[in-house]
């Protein structure tokens, strides 16, 4: 049985139908990359799955429990959020808290953990993302890459069953994406279950084990990462991958 | 300047300063504290879009900001006794100043709450905090820091507004000055003198504000 499944997730903003009934399955230990052109609904899907947006329809099965997405109770939302973590595109670190406090906040306040224990966990989490020497820095004193690593530390500290990543490197300067991707690779290696909306093809290709290609609010193709990139079945997937490799070429040319 | 006028000004300085320290400032401090409590509640009710309460909040702000403070003082002190509600002058002044200032500060704090990026709330909820926990620990502290200079401004304005309480028999600085003018017939010198004492109070508060803003430049932000 899959750890997490969603069925026919639907979401519209006004007249715009952003998700037209998306299915998704995540097994424990999976690193699933969600790819797709901008406006395809990737981010909305992820936000619906953590109830930052209320879906108009669909169902979630989490650890065998069923939840109707459009009328899930507040209590269930709170319970599910305690099993998950979310890493935002623009980090969203608490601006009035230091790096260390950003990590302990969810432990002490939301989980009522004793302060000493929370500090231990937070220090370990910050060490893991390589920021032990930045504990007392406020977000405004950190680079984008460092902020995103603190955000990842904040996510792993709560010992989630799955971490959702919403384009975690898109807001970063190109030279800073590497440090964040390295941390994510390490997490994947340790068996963390991750659902990653991304534009980083190298990450999708080399780190994720499954890929879902979304276009205009529907899944076009999904499969294991190797065959997705080596032998995509759908013409639209091939077209998408061609545009991307084209972009990569032009980027490289313009750099030289 | 005649010697008589000089000694009048020196004597009256202490006579005016004393109610300034024992009435004007405490009246301001107490009223402003209540005003802040009212303002935070009224701002949060609107920020959280609570169904009925937010309309009550808008109504409260509409009425209070749309009527003169002096009229509000008269309604409470001279008007309410006609329907059997008797409130002493000082409590009446505190009541009116708190409610009046609360309406203005509520708008300041509401604007500051809305300037906090929505991602702060989302991140808080994603780490498992409840809506109220995020408000209390993340959103409100950031908003209060943003609102601080404007709130300090309101506090300074309030010091001067307390002079209106003289009209409902509160013995504060301005009332004492009027009494001295009544027997000394030196309105120009004495009203300038009381004005200077208000200026002195506000200068000190401005210094405190600047000091406070420096202290609040934490969170790692540089500059003002």
């Amino acid at each position: 049985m899959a750890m997490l499944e969603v069925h026919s997730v639907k979401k519209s903003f006004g007249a715009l139908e952003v998700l037209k009934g998306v299915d998704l399955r995540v097994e424990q230990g999976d690193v699933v990359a969600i790819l797709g052109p901008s406006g395809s609904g990737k981010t909305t899907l992820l936000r619906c799955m953590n109830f930052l947006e209320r879906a108009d329809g669909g169902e979630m099965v989490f650890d065998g429990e069923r939840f109707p997405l459009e009328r899930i109770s507040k209590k269930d939302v709170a319970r599910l959020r305690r099993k998950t973590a979310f890493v935002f595109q623009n980090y969203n670190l608490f601006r009035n808290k230091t790096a260390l406090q950003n990590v302990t906040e969810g432990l002490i306040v939301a989980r009522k953990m004793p302060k000493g224990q929370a500090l231990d966990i937070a220090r370990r989490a910050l060490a893991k993302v390589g920021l032990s020497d930045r504990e007392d820095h406020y977000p405004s004193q950190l680079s984008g890459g460092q902020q995103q690593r603190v955000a990842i530390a904040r996510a792993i500290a709560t010992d989630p069953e799955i971490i959702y990543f919403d384009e975690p490197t898109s807001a970063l300067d190109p030279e800073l994406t590497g440090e964040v991707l390295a941390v994510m690779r390490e997490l994947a290696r340790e068996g963390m279950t991750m659902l990653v909306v991304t534009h980083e093809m190298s990450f999708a290709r080399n780190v994720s084990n499954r890929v879902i290609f979304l276009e205009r609010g529907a899944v076009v193709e999904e499969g294991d990462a190797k065959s997705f990139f080596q032998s995509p079945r759908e013409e639209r997937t091939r077209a998408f991958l061609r545009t991307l490799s084209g972009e990569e070429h032009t980027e490289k040319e313009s750099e030289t | 300047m005649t010697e008589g006028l000089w000694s009048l000004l020196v004597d009256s300085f202490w006579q005016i300063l004393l109610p300034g320290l024992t009435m004007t400032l405490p009246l301001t401090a107490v009223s402003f504290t209540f005003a802040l409590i009212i303002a935070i509640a009224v701002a949060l009710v609107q920020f959280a879009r609570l169904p009925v309460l937010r309309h009550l909040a808008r109504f409260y702000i509409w009425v209070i900001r749309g009527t003169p403070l002096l009229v509000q003082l008269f309604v409470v002190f001279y008007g309410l006794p006609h329907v059997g509600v008797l409130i002493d002058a000082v409590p009446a002044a505190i009541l009116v100043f708190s409610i009046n200032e609360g309406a203005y500060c509520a708008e300041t704090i509401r604007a500051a709450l809305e300037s906090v990026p929505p991602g702060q709330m989302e991140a808080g909820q994603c780490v498992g905090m409840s809506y109220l926990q995020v408000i209390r620990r993340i959103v409100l502290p950031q908003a209060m820091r943003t609102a601080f200079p404007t709130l300090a401004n309101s506090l300074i304005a309030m010091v001067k507004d307390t002079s209106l309480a003289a009209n409902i028999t509160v013995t504060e600085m301005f009332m004492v000055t009027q009494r001295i003018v009544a027997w000394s017939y030196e309105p120009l010198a004495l009203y300038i003198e009381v004005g200077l004492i208000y200026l002195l109070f506000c200068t000190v508060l401005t210094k405190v504000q600047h000091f406070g803003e420096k202290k609040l430049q934490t969170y790692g932000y540089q500059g003002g």
Side-chain angles (χ1 to χ4, degrees):
Chain A
M1 187 179 61
M3 180 189 119
L4 169 64
E5 280 175 64
V6 289
H7 301 297
S8 35
V9 182
K10 289 195 182 73
K11 175 71 185 172
S12 299
F13 293 108
L16 182 69
E17 200 180 8
V18 182
L19 297 175
K20 298 171 183 167
V22 175
D23 295 324
L24 185 96
R25 203 183 75 251
V26 185
E27 310 281 346
Q28 185 164 9
D30 264 356
V31 177
V32 179
I34 305 178
L35 306 179
S38 51
S40 57
K42 315 177 292 279
T43 291
T44 304
L45 174 63
L46 209 61
R47 289 172 62 84
C48 283
M49 290 179 68
N50 213 17
F51 315 103
L52 293 172
E53 304 284 353
R54 182 58 62 109
D56 302 328
E59 184 189 48
M60 173 181 279
V61 186
F62 200 115
D63 288 338
E65 257 188 288
R66 285 171 186 280
F67 304 95
L69 284 177
E70 82 278 17
R71 52 192 161 84
I72 184 169
S73 71
K74 265 189 186 170
K75 224 172 95 194
D76 285 336
V77 169
R79 205 153 52 85
L80 286 176
R81 277 183 177 153
R82 244 165 261 156
K83 297 180 176 193
T84 64
F86 201 100
V87 174
F88 296 85
Q89 181 176 349
N90 50 2
Y91 341 124
N92 286 342
L93 291 184
F94 306 131
R95 300 185 305 176
N96 58 329
K97 305 276 174 193
T98 62
L100 189 65
Q101 290 167 339
N102 261 279
V103 184
T104 55
E105 197 69 8
L107 302 174
I108 296 171
V109 180
R111 287 168 183 76
K112 310 280 174 235
M113 191 181 279
K115 201 170 170 212
Q117 192 188 347
L119 282 171
D120 280 351
I121 292 175
R123 292 214 165 90
R124 246 178 286 140
L126 283 176
K128 192 159 190 173
V129 299
L131 289 173
S132 291
D133 55 339
R134 294 286 187 278
E135 276 184 8
D136 297 324
H137 285 55
Y138 284 93
S140 65
Q141 297 167 317
L142 299 171
S143 73
Q146 289 170 336
Q147 288 189 58
Q148 194 61 298
R149 280 147 67 199
V150 174
I152 293 174
R154 177 170 73 177
I156 58 179
T158 58
D159 193 24
E161 292 180 31
I162 182 170
I163 305 179
Y164 302 116
F165 290 84
D166 181 16
E167 303 194 25
T169 57
S170 295
L172 295 173
D173 290 336
E175 70 270 23
L176 299 178
T177 58
E179 58 189 81
V180 172
L181 290 172
V183 169
M184 290 172 65
R185 250 195 307 277
E186 177 64 18
L187 287 182
R189 205 184 52 77
E190 290 170 10
M192 175 63 78
T193 311
M194 295 154 75
L195 185 56
V196 186
V197 169
T198 185
H199 292 294
E200 292 285 339
M201 285 309 127
S202 64
F203 180 85
R205 197 185 319 233
N206 303 324
V207 185
S208 70
N209 63 326
R210 277 183 42 238
V211 176
I212 288 167
F213 176 54
L214 212 61
E215 194 178 55
R216 295 203 193 93
V219 176
V220 174
E221 180 164 351
E222 81 163 287
D224 65 282
K226 258 202 193 75
S227 54
F228 179 90
F229 283 101
Q230 279 168 5
S231 49
R233 294 187 301 273
E234 301 291 327
E235 173 49 35
R236 277 188 290 165
T237 313
R238 284 194 285 271
F240 174 72
L241 291 173
R242 266 201 305 278
T243 4
L244 282 179
S245 59
E247 274 169 22
E248 270 169 33
H249 278 302
T250 40
E251 262 173 40
K252 268 174 199 145
E253 278 159 22
S254 62
E255 271 167 29
T256 49
Chain B
M1 197 186 288
T2 64
E3 211 167 291
L5 179 57
W6 181 248
S7 65
L8 172 70
L9 285 179
V10 172
D11 290 346
S12 60
F13 179 81
W14 299 109
Q15 286 171 34
I16 297 170
L17 185 66
L18 187 67
L21 297 175
T22 60
M23 184 56 76
T24 299
L25 290 185
L27 184 60
T28 306
V30 172
S31 302
F32 198 76
T33 306
F34 284 132
L36 275 185
I37 295 168
I38 294 170
I40 289 173
V42 170
L44 282 176
V45 155
Q46 296 176 78
F47 182 72
R49 307 196 186 289
L50 296 184
V52 179
L53 288 176
R54 65 189 276 225
H55 294 296
L56 282 177
R58 289 317 303 172
F59 179 77
Y60 156 69
I61 291 166
W62 173 63
V63 170
I64 297 301
R65 289 203 307 182
T67 55
L69 178 54
L70 187 57
V71 171
Q72 294 164 11
L73 284 166
F74 273 49
V75 165
V76 169
F77 187 70
Y78 297 114
L80 287 185
H82 277 258
V83 290
V85 183
L86 268 139
I87 308 175
D88 283 343
V90 174
I94 290 174
L95 182 71
V96 172
F97 288 137
S98 306
I99 290 175
N100 181 277
E101 197 64 38
Y104 288 93
C105 293
E107 287 296 85
T108 303
I109 294 172
R110 183 181 61 86
L113 282 169
E114 274 160 17
S115 76
V116 176
Q120 297 286 304
M121 172 58 77
E122 291 183 351
Q125 294 189 318
C126 282
V127 299
M129 286 195 262
S130 69
Y131 182 84
L132 280 178
Q133 285 174 329
V134 186
I135 289 284
R136 190 162 47 81
R137 302 191 49 96
I138 309 296
V139 177
L140 193 56
Q142 291 181 31
M144 290 311 280
R145 181 182 177 281
T146 307
F148 182 81
T150 318
L151 291 176
N153 200 40
S154 300
L155 174 66
I156 288 168
M158 197 183 204
V159 173
K160 295 166 293 166
D161 285 346
T162 56
S163 61
L164 289 173
N167 293 288
I168 60 164
T169 76
V170 174
T171 317
E172 45 66 71
M173 292 206 293
F174 188 59
M175 152 98 60
V176 171
T177 313
Q178 284 177 308
R179 282 185 189 154
I180 301 171
V181 170
W183 57 257
S184 69
Y185 304 112
E186 288 290 353
L188 180 63
L190 284 163
Y191 287 141
I192 288 177
E193 180 170 45
V194 73
L196 288 174
I197 297 176
Y198 278 111
L199 184 60
L200 175 72
F201 284 177
C202 291
T203 307
V204 172
L205 281 177
T206 307
K207 294 278 177 219
V208 172
Q209 176 190 349
H210 289 321
F211 178 75
E213 279 175 37
K214 279 218 183 79
K215 277 276 163 203
L216 282 175
Q217 274 167 29
T218 52
Y219 306 168
Y221 288 95
Q222 304 297 317

